[in-house]
Amino acid sequence: GGSEGVRSVTLTVQSVQFEMQLRPGVLSFLREMSSLFCVYLYTMGSREYVQQALHHLDPEHDIFRPGQVLAWHPALDRTTKTLRRMLCHPHLVTIVDDSTIAWAQHLPNLLPIDRFTGDPADRSLARMAGRLRHMHAQFFAPQLAVSRHPLAPPASPAGGATRCGPAVPELRMPPPGTVPPGPPKGPPEPHGGAVPPGHGMPPPDPPAAQASQASSSRPSPVRSSPLTRRSVSAT
């Protein structure tokens, strides 16, 4: 947890220097949470700023994968954050942020955390990690109970899915001596077996949406500026 002390790094964005202080325990917090959740970074900073910050928050690029970093865009409001930018159902998202105003539209999803002021004895991330571990255990408890059935597939080491990519369906073989059922009987399908558009079949999802839906078996906490503290000085 929270054994990491405050570390300061300097970022330069458009000839302006930012001194960014990493919150105590932030690196171990991100590593552990990424093994339990699909972790997103949502910030009102510019993309250039975020890219430099990620060199220190995720130097190996194994926590935030493509599509999991949401930076500010000039066409967006800079005071409000919204889950509409994420391709997943809101009830599967847990937000960790020090601003309740920014998430006024999604307060039921918010776990408020204290604002980081540079205190080297700050333990907020360690406390938040405990809450998120408990939520993860409660969320997957029913699934783990079902997985104890003799015919159920084995559970993953972390007690749930640990990757944000598409899930791979498991192939189940019928018990020995069982005759596999034949194709269902019914009227012949039109157009040589293809179902025409608009006949009860939804259009295929884009690849990004498929990945999001496949990973929606677990909540996805959204990370924000509570991980760091910054000051500005012109160069």
Side-chain angles (χ1 to χ4, degrees):
S3 59
E4 303 165 12
V6 177
R7 182 164 65 92
S8 297
V9 296
T10 301
L11 313 179
T12 302
V13 181
Q14 297 181 354
S15 301
V16 178
Q17 285 191 336
F18 295 85
E19 182 186 38
M20 185 176 72
Q21 291 183 320
L22 302 184
R23 196 167 197 163
V26 61
L27 301 182
S28 57
F29 174 82
L30 289 175
R31 282 194 298 268
E32 179 185 2
M33 293 302 107
S34 66
S35 70
L36 301 177
F37 302 92
C38 181
V39 181
Y40 282 73
L41 174 67
Y42 195 143
T43 175
M44 291 302 186
S46 66
R47 182 160 297 277
E48 183 182 1
Y49 164 77
V50 175
Q51 288 174 344
Q52 292 198 36
L54 286 176
H55 288 315
H56 305 280
L57 293 173
D58 186 19
E60 302 298 327
H61 307 288
D62 55 1
I63 296 176
F64 300 105
R65 296 181 176 86
Q68 292 173 231
V69 177
L70 304 177
W72 176 75
H73 188 275
L76 301 175
D77 180 10
R78 206 158 196 168
T79 61
T80 303
K81 298 178 181 179
T82 175
L83 294 180
R84 286 195 293 266
R85 296 186 65 186
M86 300 178 60
L87 295 176
C88 59
H89 200 288
H91 83 274
L92 293 175
V93 179
T94 298
I95 304 166
V96 177
D97 204 326
D98 58 11
S99 173
T100 56
I101 297 177
W103 293 104
Q105 302 175 12
H106 305 286
L107 290 179
N109 301 75
L110 179 63
L111 287 181
I113 189 171
D114 297 333
R115 184 177 296 275
F116 180 45
T117 60
D119 182 6
D122 184 278
R123 295 276 300 169
S124 296
L125 287 179
R127 291 192 295 269
M128 182 59 67
R131 296 183 65 182
L132 292 171
R133 285 189 213 105
H134 178 74
M135 289 179 57
H136 182 273
Q138 293 295 109
F139 185 85
F140 283 104
Q143 301 182 34
L144 292 177
V146 173
S147 70
R148 296 189 182 98
H149 191 277
L151 296 181
S156 64
T162 58
R163 292 186 62 88
C164 300
V168 178
E170 182 189 13
L171 297 179
R172 302 296 299 275
M173 298 300 294
T178 302
V179 179
K185 296 181 180 181
E189 296 177 335
H191 303 281
V195 180
H199 284 243
M201 296 292 293
D205 293 324
Q210 293 175 359
S212 173
Q213 293 171 4
S215 65
S216 62
S217 60
R218 63 194 187 283
S220 307
V222 181
R223 307 287 174 243
S224 183
S225 55
L227 304 178
T228 61
R229 177 175 177 268
R230 60 180 178 174
S231 58
V232 184
S233 61
T235 58

